[in-house]
């Protein structure tokens, strides 16, 4: 797999353009979130920046059992950093479902654990482990 960028997002010296919200299972039907600004020109580059940033749990672990997903939003919004408008529930089969309360946001992408692990594999194949 070859990526189209000239400089990987995690090696760029530029302002963050995206916000990521990592959702993890906290047990008892609850979830936790961690928000952070990332670089990139599209949601996949933004997720790659999150994955390959030094110390990233997602980049270090090919399988992260507590992971529910990662929401990527274009633009940095302090409200989203503090309390993102994300709803997380389990469906009737016990699988996590992620919904964005602000339905009119066109620049929001939700990545599933399988999509994330696939990107981690592709990144590690081309670039090696995280720094």
């Amino acid at each position: 797999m070859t990526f189209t960028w000239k400089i990987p997002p995690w090696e760029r010296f530029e302002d963050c353009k995206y916000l990521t919200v990592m959702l993890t299972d906290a047990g008892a039907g609850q979830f936790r979130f961690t928000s952070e600004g990332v670089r990139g020109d599209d949601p996949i580059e933004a997720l790659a920046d999150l994955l390959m940033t030094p110390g990233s749990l997602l980049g270090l672990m090919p399988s992260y059992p507590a992971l529910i997903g990662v929401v990527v939003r274009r633009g940095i919004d302090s409200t989203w950093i503090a309390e993102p408008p994300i709803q997380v529930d389990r469906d009737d089969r016990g699988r996590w479902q992620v919904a964005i309360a602000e339905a009119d946001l066109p620049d929001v992408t939700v990545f599933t654990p399988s999509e994330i692990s696939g990107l981690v594999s592709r990144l590690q194949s081309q670039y090696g482990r995280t720094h």
Side-chain angles (χ1 to χ4, degrees), residues 9-20:
W10 60 92
E11 293 180 353
R12 295 179 192 166
F13 295 103
E14 63 184 29
D15 290 336
C16 295
K17 296 179 187 173
Y18 284 85
L19 178 72
T20 60

Side-chain angles (χ1 to χ4, degrees), residues 23-51:
L23 305 164
T24 54
D25 186 345
Q30 301 295 311
F31 72 95
R32 288 187 191 107
F33 71 89
T34 306
S35 302
E36 125 179 34
V38 292
R39 298 159 292 207
D41 293 328
D42 60 46
I44 293 175
E45 286 190 18
L47 181 59
D49 187 36
L50 176 71
L51 297 172

Side-chain angles (χ1 to χ4, degrees), residues 88-111:
V88 179
D89 290 307
R90 289 194 183 265
D91 65 12
D92 57 352
R93 297 174 129 180
R95 295 176 298 196
W96 287 107
Q97 300 295 311
V98 177
I100 309 306
E102 297 176 12
D104 62 337
L105 290 174
D107 293 331
V108 175
T109 306
V110 179
F111 291 97

